Amino acid sequence: MADDKKLTTRDADFSAWYNEVVLRSELADYSPVKGCMVIRPNGYGIWERMQRQLDDMFKATGHQNAYFPLLIPESFLHKEAQHVEGFAPEAAVVTHGGGKKLEEPLIIRPTSETIIYTMFAKWVQSYRDLPILMNQWANVVRWEMRTRLFLRTTEFLWQEGHTAHVSEAEAEEEARKMLGVYRDFMEGWVAMPVVTGRKTDSERFAGALRTYSCEAMMQDNKALQAGTSHNLGQNFAKAFDLKFQAENGATEHAWNTSWGVSTRMVGGLVMTHGDDTGLRVPPLLAPIELVIVPIYRTPDEQTLVLEAAERIRKSLGDWDRREPARLRIHVDTREGMKPGAKYYEWELRGVPLRLEIGPRDLASNQGVLVRRDTREKRPVSLGILGEEVSDTLSRMQRDMLAAALDRREANSVRARIDYGAFKELMEGKGGFVYAGWCGDAACEAQIKDETKATIRCLPDEEFQSATKPTECLKCGRPSTVEALWARAY
RNA sequence: CGGGGCGUAGCGUAGCCCGGUAGCGCGCCUGCUUCGGGAGCAGGAGGUCGCUGGUUCAAAUCCAGUCGCCCCGACCA
């Protein structure tokens, strides 16, 4: 069945396309438990590279890793009023252990603010103990009604940064700084452009003073919230008695931030870069950057070509690329599979570069280098292969970001738009709409109700339109702030 | 929780109306020939037809119940 080998196209059914890409490129698979997924080596390899880079960035900004336990007393959740309201419905509760009913039920963390600030309170006495800049890599569980691979699963992997500061200004600076770190990572590594900004009250994290987010546009023109950073104010400090003695002797509550990104970013990567042939992984995150496919007919040719492939792998692997570390290369030596079949498979898996080498190439000391993103195919002399591969990978990383940025801008509307046209746009092809907002939550709610579009964020200055909108998209009253509207995941 | 769909070999499915030998494609194993864009031939392995109960001489098929999954809507990173 030739058709069986082709993916559903993005045009025909974006959602089906996404599921097929994730399953067939072996990023993940469904687990026996509803809403849970297994992250397979291909997917986990991408996550590991995300983790490594982000971890470096967190360390570079002064944070340290720690680990807090999975199980939290249920009562902790109730100590902060908004927080319990936000998370109680989706908390998984452990009622039995060791064959007995527990005196107090435990919850499986949906996020760790409660346990972390409880511990911070124990560790902090003086302003000299601040700031605390901590991060943990962990799994969390949220009982979601509807789940999708990577985008929303019952259990997911993430990092949660938690900090405590002496002042609101310092906490605000931290929250903004980490949002910037996320943005740098998403653009520089995921090659996924994001709009940063502040969340409205209705979209704010339960218990936060202010929430900031990175919003990316997927290929179906829907928004994906790819990372969030919260200024928690003193809400948790007050709820968990996190106090310190200030320089002037007064006792004050600390100011907290928390920030996180999750395996959801892998889904964002798929929906940003994937095409109808499958996945396209940005080079910096690709577990394999270059796959070598040997081509041969006779046993003699096989020996010749495989030896050459191994030689190339070794010399490129040893080749001292300055950045970022060694090339990640794989030689596909599988027998009984034609080269063409291998091409399709590696394209499905999104490996950035492919080197085809056959007897004819070797005779002229060259190979054929193929880019996954543009499908550009060109002969490259083996003598300069290291430079060529390295340059091409850097170029691809930049090109993929540029392409994603072009696509986003082509599907963004900044011109004045009346509500009827807006509604039509949201029901049709969708996209990002920058428009005025009066600031009234009622307008926001009504728009959501009627169009399913929400305010993704109130964009930061650099994302705001040159001409400020003057009136509210919905009610026509004077606009107080520019808002980014879109349907979202 | 509402709406829709589906549970038959690893995957995709036919058979179900009208009860009677479980069939096909892909994949997998072995061998030979192949190999510059999804290989061909030959042989082979693999099934408590989601589960429970009922009707019947006989159930994948009919009836009742039950469990699970996927998709679309109301909550969320």
Side-chain angles (χ1 to χ4, degrees):
Chain A
M1 269 192 261
D3 282 356
D4 225 29
K5 292 176 175 167
K6 290 225 160 56
L7 291 165
T8 301
T9 62
R10 290 162 296 173
D11 262 2
D13 186 344
F14 191 78
S15 169
W17 168 83
Y18 175 80
N19 287 329
E20 285 176 28
V21 170
V22 170
L23 293 171
R24 289 173 54 174
S25 64
E26 298 181 358
L27 294 182
D29 202 353
Y30 295 106
S31 97
V33 177
K34 180 182 165 68
C36 294
M37 70 168 179
V38 177
I39 304 177
R40 302 180 67 177
N42 287 345
Y44 202 79
I46 294 173
W47 175 240
E48 279 181 314
R49 296 198 57 76
M50 289 179 165
Q51 272 187 302
R52 189 184 306 177
Q53 175 58 20
L54 282 166
D55 202 62
D56 284 349
M57 293 168 92
F58 299 155
K59 302 273 170 61
T61 42
H63 303 84
Q64 290 180 299
N65 284 330
Y67 185 78
F68 295 79
L70 175 73
L71 297 172
I72 298 174
E74 190 185 34
S75 59
F76 281 25
L77 195 61
H78 294 273
K79 292 187 181 179
E80 210 287 331
Q82 294 176 57
H83 195 63
V84 64
E85 204 177 307
F87 283 105
E90 52 190 64
V93 183
V94 178
T95 56
H96 290 71
K100 285 186 299 190
K101 188 167 188 291
L102 300 175
E103 276 188 33
E104 183 188 346
L106 302 169
I107 60 166
I108 299 176
R109 62 180 164 221
T111 178
S112 304
E113 273 78 4
T114 60
I115 181 70
I116 289 182
Y117 300 129
T118 297
M119 297 311 294
F120 279 13
K122 192 170 164 184
W123 300 331
V124 171
Q125 277 92 45
S126 149
Y127 72 94
R128 296 181 203 276
D129 298 324
L130 296 175
I132 296 183
L133 306 174
M134 222 174 262
N135 176 65
Q136 81 166 340
W137 291 96
N139 57 339
V140 287
V141 167
R142 300 180 184 177
W143 223 261
E144 300 289 354
M145 292 189 247
R146 248 192 86 202
T147 56
R148 293 200 66 191
L149 294 166
F150 286 110
L151 302 175
R152 183 171 301 106
T153 46
T154 298
E155 177 186 1
F156 58 95
L157 304 182
W158 77 345
Q159 68 50 228
E160 44 180 324
H162 292 275
T163 67
H165 306 266
V166 296
S167 69
E168 175 170 18
E170 207 182 294
E172 180 68 13
E173 191 192 336
E174 168 76 6
R176 295 292 320 190
K177 181 199 286 176
M178 298 321 287
L179 186 74
V181 165
Y182 287 159
R183 180 190 174 185
D184 290 346
F185 172 74
M186 287 172 198
E187 297 187 343
W189 287 68
V190 193
M192 180 173 75
V194 293
V195 175
T196 59
R198 185 163 60 85
K199 287 292 194 183
T200 64
D201 287 352
S202 68
E203 299 265 335
R204 204 184 53 214
F205 175 73
L209 202 59
R210 281 185 288 280
T211 290
Y212 301 100
S213 74
C214 295
E215 303 285 334
M217 184 193 283
M218 303 294 102
Q219 289 187 67
D220 59 354
N221 292 345
K222 283 168 77 174
L224 181 78
Q225 180 176 306
T228 52
S229 182
H230 316 289
N231 180 338
L232 301 174
Q234 292 177 304
N235 291 341
F236 286 91
K238 285 175 179 167
F240 293 92
D241 216 24
L242 170 51
K243 290 183 293 199
F244 66 95
Q245 195 163 18
E247 216 169 340
N248 65 10
T251 299
E252 293 174 18
H253 286 106
W255 300 80
N256 298 111
T257 79
S258 68
W259 27 273
V261 294
S262 70
T263 40
R264 178 180 240 202
M265 279 192 299
V266 178
L269 183 159
V270 174
M271 291 194 292
T272 298
H273 300 301
D275 65 14
D276 290 343
T277 310
L279 192 59
R280 294 194 295 185
V281 186
L284 289 175
L285 293 176
I288 297 172
E289 291 168 289
L290 172 73
V291 63
I292 300 176
V293 179
I295 299 157
Y296 48 80
R297 272 184 229 89
T298 64
D300 281 355
E301 285 178 349
Q302 176 174 10
T303 308
L304 184 78
V305 173
L306 287 181
E307 274 175 14
E310 186 52 32
R311 211 161 48 236
I312 293 167
R313 186 195 66 75
K314 199 163 180 315
S315 77
L316 282 191
D318 288 344
W319 184 67
D320 194 17
R321 178 171 59 164
R322 249 170 302 164
E323 239 185 285
R326 303 220 177 278
L327 280 166
R328 299 179 294 281
I329 307 167
H330 175 75
V331 182
D332 189 344
T333 56
R334 286 175 295 178
E335 293 187 47
M337 203 173 167
K338 293 180 78 170
K342 293 181 180 178
Y343 302 164
Y344 280 104
E345 187 180 304
W346 293 112
E347 283 170 6
L348 173 65
R349 292 178 183 218
V351 172
L353 275 182
R354 175 173 79 235
L355 181 70
E356 308 171 1
I357 45 165
R360 290 209 295 273
D361 294 311
L362 290 178
S364 48
N365 195 43
Q366 65 166 38
V368 176
L369 197 60
V370 188
R371 278 175 68 150
R372 172 65 182 87
D373 60 339
T374 58
R375 291 158 186 285
E376 181 208 348
K377 240 180 198 200
R378 69 198 164 93
V380 173
S381 162
L382 295 181
I384 55 162
L385 191 59
E387 289 83 351
E388 287 293 324
V389 166
S390 184
D391 289 353
T392 307
L393 289 171
S394 322
R395 206 170 309 124
M396 285 179 72
Q397 185 75 35
R398 285 196 303 274
D399 290 352
M400 288 176 78
L401 173 64
L405 190 59
D406 285 350
R407 178 174 53 73
R408 184 187 77 188
E409 291 308 298
N411 291 292
S412 296
V413 175
R414 287 180 181 274
R416 194 175 172 285
I417 185 169
D418 71 62
Y419 188 60
F422 171 79
K423 193 171 175 202
E424 216 169 287
L425 182 66
M426 288 299 134
E427 280 160 4
K429 78 180 184 94
F432 283 7
V433 172
Y434 296 77
W437 181 43
C438 62
D440 189 338
C443 276
E444 188 187 12
Q446 210 172 337
I447 290 178
K448 181 177 180 180
D449 206 42
E450 293 170 2
T451 70
K452 289 180 192 136
T454 50
I455 297 180
R456 299 320 305 151
C457 69
L458 308 172
D460 289 334
E461 198 170 348
E462 78 163 280
F463 297 101
Q464 289 170 18
S465 307
T467 327
K468 301 277 173 258
T470 53
E471 60 202 51
C472 176
L473 172 65
K474 174 69 188 163
C475 66
R477 285 178 291 178
S479 166
T480 58
V481 65
E482 181 170 358
L484 168 56
W485 296 87
R487 283 191 181 175
Y489 276 95

